[in-house]
């Protein structure tokens, strides 16, 4: 049914947009105390994404909501099978959100340090856990007629951890480039330098990941059957390389565009490899959750398609507008004068 | 304890926490938006200071509403997978729409509102908080239409071993959902009104910033009176809907055991759930319950004993919560009426007993709201979807009790901590009072830019 395919693409798009947007929030959150050597610098780093993180996080809420609306059986089994991992992601995101909002509401290094740790954990863990979760989804979860045979610990297998590491590095690079784009002076230079160092690591892990994916997952089957799909990882690779090149040449805006494109294409690469499954079964293909066996009724899918086609472009438009409002560098003056209401 | 019992407790705990923070956001967003609009319209700095002061309190609370909300979306899949699979075709859509239409709007524009004071015109900036207020109220519509469907399932058929939607308009126009939505919205407005009145009262008792807090109090009192009157009215209509569609819940609310006609309203009831009767039924107003329920003093109301025991909700919590909530509802009307009366002119400051009462009244609308949700959700038991799916059939099959103990402990700890921090910050900034320095909100140089 065409709507199931449409929603597969939309589902993938929502995850891709989430990783592209919240990816830099999470990366910057991981790095804010590393790059921010003084209190003023830390405030600056946080302020580069404080106006934006909440709107970015909603892409996750929407991805989850879309999974529920379009593929309710997948939503139900994914969220219950991956209970502990999702729970930890949830706790972390709570800590991150509250950390960002509360950090500057009181004076005192102890108070700020406390919330800075919350921001760090709340940025690092979701990045890692999303990677682990998707790594395991790519491999397929051990599910069959008797149900789920995995556990939280079984998610921490080598390929899962590798994907986790990939996501962490990817978001850290994305976040560091973002910071270099949104700051000035010494902070900008250091962010750029850190982005480059992390980028070398990222490229190495990405290569290992591409090879490991061939061996640990069935993702390449779709690619071998339809070689035109190789365009996706090809663009991802080129974009990733350009992110490094532009960072070396100190053009952060283009570097950020490149890393954004890379994240989008990496996500789509994984999604395209999964098709038509949403969560393959590693035990028995009969029990894979696919768009065909886990979707809502055609009626519901049609309604949701209409809603998505009307509202998602509107959302993207005003989010782009907000990014443009906040496009300049964050200055020291902004944070020392406590500009704004926070 | 098994996964089911633990998951029930967890849902109750997480929902209760969510509903501590959200209602204040619903109401205070409107008040703050109104304050900023008055500033834009009049150029009077007092309104800007009001926006800054009450807005700061609003923001402390706002973040917690957001983060506790994500938990709810995740929890349906995590703990109630069978439910999600069974009704997802219908229930998933309003949740996805809530995110697409409302969450994006509120979360995106809140960033502009907090940080964009100097980056956009005053009008645009005021618009952003209105968008946040509208979005937050709109999100309530979608989740309550979803809950409304759980209470009064419409527009579906049973097919393919699940419930499938066949009439989206039926879901959208479900009267149960709309009554619940309006009633819940108004409860948020009352919470916000009493919050502003209470904090204002604290300062007025100390003769602190009189003009500022008299104005704030007045605004909140008018908002509170209108809201509490409408709250009582919608509550009545909502109860009528419950009487018509959820007889077991209604019987539990009123502790009615035997089906009867021309049912009186007893002001005092002491139920004995075990014996399936009321030990005391006193001060009865003849025919009033029948009248309230069905507009007909002689109409028949079904009693609990008409239903098998395993289809009845727990009576004591539902009955007590309902009476507690309704009683407080009348108190809110009285107190806000007095607030409106006393705040005419300058006489409010001398009403010290009243001001003290308003200070201590701050938690009351919160308690009433929690009680209302107990009526709504505990009263629906044993049903998850009334008449269609029992709660016990909706729980996740693959989740172990150990996992839920871990999550329940985690939520209780984290939420408890955050609630404590929330209260600490709210008290700290409430007591601090308004900041006269609004330069952080005005364009460079502090000059008023031209209205555009």
């Amino acid at each position: 049914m065409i709507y199931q395919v449409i929603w597969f693409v939309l589902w993938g798009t929502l995850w891709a947009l989430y990783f592209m947007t919240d990816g830099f929030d999470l990366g910057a959150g991981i790095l804010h105390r590393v790059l921010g050597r003084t209190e003023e610098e830390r405030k600056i780093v946080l302020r580069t994404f404080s106006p934006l993180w909440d709107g970015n996080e909603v892409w996750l809420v929407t991805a989850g909501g879309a999974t529920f609306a379009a593929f309710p059986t997948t939503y139900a089994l994914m969220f219950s099978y991956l209970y502990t991992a999702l729970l930890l992601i949830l706790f972390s995101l709570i800590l991150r959100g509250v950390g960002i909002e509360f950090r500057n509401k009181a004076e005192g290094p102890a108070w700020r340090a406390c919330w800075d740790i919350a921001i760090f954990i709340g940025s690092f863990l979701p990045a890692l856990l999303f990677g682990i979760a998707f790594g395991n989804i790519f491999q397929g979860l051990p599910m069959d007629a008797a149900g789920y045979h995995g556990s939280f610990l079984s998610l921490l297998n080598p390929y899962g951890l590798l994907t986790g590491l990939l996501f962490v590095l990817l978001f850290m690079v994305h976040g560091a480039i973002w910071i270099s784009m949104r700051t000035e002076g010494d902070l900008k230079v250091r962010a750029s330098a850190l982005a480059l160092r992390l980028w070398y690591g990222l490229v190495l892990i990405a290569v290992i990941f591409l090879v490991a994916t061939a061996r640990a997952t069935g993702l390449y089957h779709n690619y071998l059957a339809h070689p035109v799909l190789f365009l996706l990882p090809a663009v991802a690779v080129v974009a990733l390389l350009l992110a490094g090149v532009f960072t070396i040449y100190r053009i952060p805006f283009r570097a950020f565009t490149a890393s954004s494109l890379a994240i989008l294409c990496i996500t789509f690469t994984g999604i395209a490899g999964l098709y038509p499954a949403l969560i393959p079964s590693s035990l028995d293909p009969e029990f894979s959750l696919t768009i065909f066996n886990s979707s809502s009724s055609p009626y519901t899918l049609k309604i949701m398609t209409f809603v998505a086609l009307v509202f998602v472009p509107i959302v993207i438009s005003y989010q782009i507008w907000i990014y443009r409002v906040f496009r300049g560098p964050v200055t020291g003056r902004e944070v020392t004068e406590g500009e704004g209401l926070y | 304890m098994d996964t089911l019992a633990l998951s029930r407790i967890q849902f109750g705990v997480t929902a209760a926490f969510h509903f501590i923070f959200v209602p204040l956001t619903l109401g205070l967003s409107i008040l703050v938006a109104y304050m900023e609009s008055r500033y834009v319209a009049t150029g009077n700095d007092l309104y800007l200071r009001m926006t800054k002061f009450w807005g700061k309190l609003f923001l402390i609370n706002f973040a917690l509403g957001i983060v506790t909300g994500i938990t709810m979306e995740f929890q349906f899949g995590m703990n109630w997978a069978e439910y999600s699979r069974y009704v997802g075709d219908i229930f998933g859509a309003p949740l996805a729409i809530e995110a697409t239409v409302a969450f994006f709007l509120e979360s995106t524009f809140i960033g502009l509102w907090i940080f964009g004071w100097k980056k956009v015109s005053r009008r645009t900036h005021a618009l952003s908080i209105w968008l946040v207020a509208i979005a937050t109220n709109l999100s309530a519509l979608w989740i309550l239409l979803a809950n409304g469907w759980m209470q009064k399932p419409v527009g579906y058929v049973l097919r393919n071993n699940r419930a499938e939607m066949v009439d989206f308009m039926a879901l959208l126009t479900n009267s149960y959902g709309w009554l619940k939505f309006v009633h819940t919205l108004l409860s948020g407005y009352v919470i916000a009104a009493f919050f502003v009145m209470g904090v204002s009262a604290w300062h007025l008792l100390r003769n602190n910033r009189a003009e500022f807090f008299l104005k704030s109090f007045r605004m909140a009192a008018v908002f509170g009176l209108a809201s509490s009157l409408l709250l009582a009215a919608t509550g009545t209509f909502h109860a009528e809907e419950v009487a018509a569609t959820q007889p077991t819940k209604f019987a539990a609310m009123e502790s009615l055991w035997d089906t009867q006609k021309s049912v009186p309203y007893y002001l005092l009831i002491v139920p004995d759930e075990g014996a399936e009767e009321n030990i005391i039924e006193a001060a009865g107003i003849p025919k009033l319950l029948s009248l309230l329920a069905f507009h007909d003093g002689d109409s028949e109301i079904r009693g609990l004993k008409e239903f098998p025991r395993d289809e009845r909700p727990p009576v004591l919590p539902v009955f007590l919560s309902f009476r507690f909530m309704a009683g407080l509802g009348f108190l809110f009307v009285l107190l806000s009426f007095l607030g409106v009366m006393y705040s005419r002119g300058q006489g409010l400051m001398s009403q010290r007993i009243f001001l003290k009462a308003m200070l201590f009244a701050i938690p009351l609308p919160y308690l009433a709201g929690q009680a209302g949700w107990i009526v709504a959700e505990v009263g629906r038991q044993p049903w998850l979807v009334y008449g269609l799916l029992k709660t016990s059939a909706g729980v996740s099959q693959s989740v172990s009790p150990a996992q839920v103990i871990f999550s329940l402990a985690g939520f209780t700890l984290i939420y408890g901590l955050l609630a404590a921090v929330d209260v600490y910050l709210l008290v700290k900034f409430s007591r601090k009072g308004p900041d006269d320095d609004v330069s952080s909100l005005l364009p460079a140089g502090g000059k008023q830019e031209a209205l555009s």
Side-chain angles (χ1 to χ4, degrees):
Chain A
M1 195 217 314
I2 186 70
Y3 286 103
Q4 292 164 321
V5 177
I6 290 174
W7 269 96
F8 181 78
V9 175
L10 284 174
W11 179 80
T13 306
L14 289 170
W15 280 109
L17 287 172
Y18 171 64
F19 290 138
M20 182 183 87
T21 55
D22 213 19
F24 71 77
D25 295 332
L26 294 174
I30 295 172
L31 296 173
H32 85 283
R33 256 180 110 93
V34 168
L35 280 174
R37 288 182 182 163
T38 65
E39 174 53 27
E40 180 179 302
E41 283 186 347
R42 281 173 195 160
K43 281 204 167 86
I44 290 174
V45 170
L46 285 172
R47 204 186 165 100
T48 62
F49 63 95
S50 294
L52 305 167
W53 74 270
D54 199 357
N56 292 344
E57 194 179 74
V58 180
W59 288 107
L60 173 65
V61 179
T62 309
T67 313
F68 199 173
F71 305 109
T73 306
T74 295
Y75 166 81
L77 297 181
M78 175 180 170
F79 277 68
S80 55
Y81 289 174
L82 300 178
Y83 189 92
T84 305
L86 285 166
L87 181 73
L88 292 173
I89 289 176
L90 195 53
F91 285 161
S92 309
L93 289 175
I94 291 173
L95 285 178
R96 185 234 350 212
V98 180
I100 293 172
E101 295 301 316
F102 284 179
R103 183 197 187 269
N104 293 317
K105 293 227 170 351
E107 295 306 309
W111 170 271
R112 284 195 295 263
C114 200
W115 294 114
D116 280 346
I117 293 172
I119 292 170
F120 173 77
I121 294 174
S123 303
F124 176 74
L125 277 185
L128 180 69
L129 289 167
F130 275 126
I132 292 175
F134 274 88
N136 279 276
I137 288 174
F138 293 154
Q139 287 176 96
L141 294 180
M143 44 191 193
D144 62 17
Y148 183 55
H149 301 278
S151 68
F152 180 66
L153 288 175
S154 72
L155 297 175
L156 305 180
N157 52 68
Y159 182 77
L161 291 169
L162 176 65
T163 318
L165 182 58
L166 176 74
F167 273 48
V168 169
L169 282 170
L170 191 55
F171 294 160
M172 281 169 81
V173 169
H174 196 43
I177 294 175
W178 167 263
I179 294 170
S180 76
M181 188 173 76
R182 294 293 315 285
T183 56
E184 332 176 282
D186 184 52
L187 188 50
K188 184 190 193 79
V189 172
R190 271 187 286 118
S192 224
L194 182 60
L196 192 60
R197 285 202 303 275
L198 290 168
W199 179 83
Y200 290 124
L202 173 60
V203 169
L204 177 65
I205 295 297
V207 169
I208 298 175
F209 176 76
L210 283 173
V211 173
T213 301
R215 306 181 69 193
T217 76
L219 254 48
Y220 283 120
H221 291 154
N222 285 345
Y223 288 88
L224 295 171
H226 305 275
V228 69
L229 288 172
F230 275 113
L231 217 61
L232 283 170
V235 174
V237 166
V238 169
L240 199 58
L241 292 174
L242 283 177
V245 167
F246 286 128
T247 302
I248 293 171
Y249 281 101
R250 307 284 167 89
I251 319 174
F253 179 73
R254 288 194 189 168
F256 185 74
T257 308
S259 63
S260 301
L261 186 61
I263 293 178
L264 285 177
C265 290
I266 290 170
T267 314
F268 282 125
T269 301
I271 301 291
L274 283 173
Y275 182 89
L278 295 155
I279 304 182
S281 165
S282 58
L283 295 179
D284 183 351
E286 283 289 301
F287 290 92
S288 292
L289 293 169
T290 72
I291 60 174
F292 300 118
N293 69 15
S294 74
S295 82
S296 290
S297 61
Y299 181 78
T300 299
L301 289 178
K302 274 187 206 147
I303 289 172
M304 289 309 306
T305 305
F306 175 75
V307 171
L309 291 179
V310 169
F311 284 99
V312 172
I314 294 174
V315 169
I316 292 177
S317 304
Y318 64 67
Q319 287 214 333
I320 290 176
W321 182 76
I322 295 283
Y323 273 80
R324 296 181 71 173
V325 170
F326 287 104
R327 69 184 171 278
V330 174
T331 62
R333 188 188 54 80
E334 266 179 77
V335 299
T336 47
E337 286 179 8
E339 183 176 310
L341 212 163
Y342 74 110
Chain B
M1 276 213 212
D2 64 351
T3 299
L4 174 63
L6 289 163
S7 297
R8 282 181 193 260
I9 295 172
Q10 184 178 284
F11 202 93
V13 167
T14 52
F17 267 102
H18 186 55
F19 207 68
I20 294 173
F21 306 113
V22 166
L24 184 61
T25 298
L26 287 172
L28 200 47
S29 61
I30 293 178
L31 283 172
V32 172
Y34 178 70
M35 289 170 194
E36 188 169 349
S37 296
R38 297 295 298 143
Y39 166 63
V40 172
T42 64
N44 184 348
D45 258 20
L46 175 64
Y47 288 115
L48 183 60
R49 276 178 270 130
M50 283 169 77
T51 306
K52 182 171 182 177
F53 175 73
W54 297 109
K56 193 147 198 168
L57 297 173
F58 165 74
L59 284 175
I60 291 165
N61 188 75
F62 180 81
L64 286 167
I66 301 270
V67 299
T68 54
I70 307 178
T71 303
M72 305 319 293
E73 187 197 64
F74 276 38
Q75 210 172 166
F76 292 118
M78 286 165 68
N79 290 78
W80 303 98
E82 279 311 300
Y83 167 79
S84 300
R85 191 197 60 76
Y86 194 72
V87 304
D89 194 84
I90 305 152
F91 190 80
L95 258 59
I97 295 172
E98 185 187 11
T100 317
V101 167
F103 286 157
F104 269 124
L105 197 63
E106 91 181 316
S107 295
T108 305
F109 282 94
I110 194 68
L112 180 64
W113 189 70
I114 300 172
F115 293 98
W117 288 85
K118 301 192 184 189
K119 296 196 189 288
V120 294
S121 73
R122 276 194 295 172
R123 278 238 170 98
T124 306
H125 190 268
L127 179 64
S128 67
I129 186 67
W130 275 111
L131 288 175
V132 171
I134 290 167
T136 205
N137 281 266
L138 197 58
S139 75
L141 171 64
W142 291 102
I143 189 59
L144 291 171
L145 282 178
N147 185 285
W149 186 83
M150 291 168 78
Q151 310 279 2
K152 181 185 165 191
V154 294
Y156 74 99
V157 294
L158 290 177
R159 196 164 58 199
N160 295 323
N161 195 21
R162 62 182 185 180
E164 294 193 349
M165 180 161 55
V166 294
D167 189 351
F168 185 56
M169 287 314 291
L171 176 72
L172 286 190
T173 58
N174 187 352
S175 51
Y176 197 110
W178 277 94
L179 283 165
K180 190 161 200 169
F181 166 62
V182 179
H183 190 62
T184 306
L185 231 54
L186 289 163
S187 74
Y189 300 168
V190 172
I191 284 178
F194 274 70
F195 179 81
V196 173
M197 283 196 278
V199 171
S200 300
W202 188 84
H203 286 275
L204 290 171
L205 281 166
R206 282 156 185 75
N207 215 336
N208 184 24
R209 308 297 302 265
E211 192 201 356
F212 184 99
F213 286 109
L214 280 170
K215 227 181 184 73
S216 299
F217 190 99
R218 174 86 188 155
M219 206 182 271
V222 172
F223 188 57
L225 180 58
S227 302
S228 50
L229 283 169
L230 289 170
L231 185 64
T234 53
T236 319
F237 301 140
H238 196 21
E240 285 171 27
E241 177 84 10
V242 172
T245 59
Q246 298 180 307
T248 52
K249 182 188 282 183
F250 192 79
M253 277 157 66
E254 303 295 346
S255 193
L256 188 71
W257 296 97
D258 301 291
T259 302
Q260 49 189 280
K261 291 189 194 262
S262 313
V263 188
Y265 192 91
Y266 294 104
L267 290 177
L268 177 63
I269 296 180
V270 177
D272 183 344
E273 216 170 327
E276 295 183 305
E277 62 174 16
N278 294 326
I279 305 172
I280 299 177
E281 271 175 6
I285 303 167
K287 300 195 180 183
L288 184 57
L289 191 58
S290 287
L291 193 64
L292 285 170
F294 296 114
H295 291 177
D296 175 1
D298 292 311
S299 60
E300 179 183 88
I301 304 181
R302 298 166 76 183
L304 286 161
K305 274 150 72 174
E306 203 187 294
F307 303 93
R309 272 188 189 266
D310 68 354
E311 280 180 23
R312 303 178 205 164
V315 176
L316 212 52
V318 177
F319 170 74
L320 289 174
S321 298
F322 181 65
R323 295 227 156 180
F324 180 65
M325 174 194 73
L328 283 177
F330 288 120
L331 182 62
F332 300 150
V333 174
L334 175 65
L335 288 176
S336 31
F337 176 73
L338 289 174
V340 170
M341 288 288 105
Y342 287 145
S343 63
R344 285 154 71 192
Q346 302 297 310
L348 181 60
M349 304 224 1
S350 48
Q351 299 291 344
R352 297 189 65 80
I353 297 176
F354 173 72
L355 287 175
K356 279 206 181 103
M358 291 312 287
L359 177 61
F360 287 109
I362 293 177
L364 295 181
Y366 284 96
L367 293 173
Q370 297 290 336
W373 276 103
I374 291 174
V375 175
E377 303 297 285
V378 178
R380 191 193 57 231
Q381 304 300 323
W383 300 105
L384 194 42
V385 182
Y386 194 84
L388 181 63
L389 182 73
K390 291 217 177 142
T391 308
S392 51
V395 73
S396 298
Q397 295 298 313
S398 66
V399 175
S400 71
Q403 285 176 291
V404 191
I405 289 175
F406 176 59
S407 57
L408 177 57
F411 282 125
T412 309
L413 197 68
I414 294 178
Y415 281 5
L417 208 75
L418 294 180
V421 174
D422 179 72
V423 170
Y424 163 72
L425 288 174
L426 285 176
V427 170
K428 172 181 153 172
F429 284 101
S430 295
R431 289 165 79 122
K432 205 167 140 198
D435 196 345
D436 277 329
D437 177 12
V438 288
S439 62
S440 65
L441 307 182
L442 291 171
K447 277 177 61 172
Q448 313 277 54
E449 56 172 325
L451 286 170
S452 55

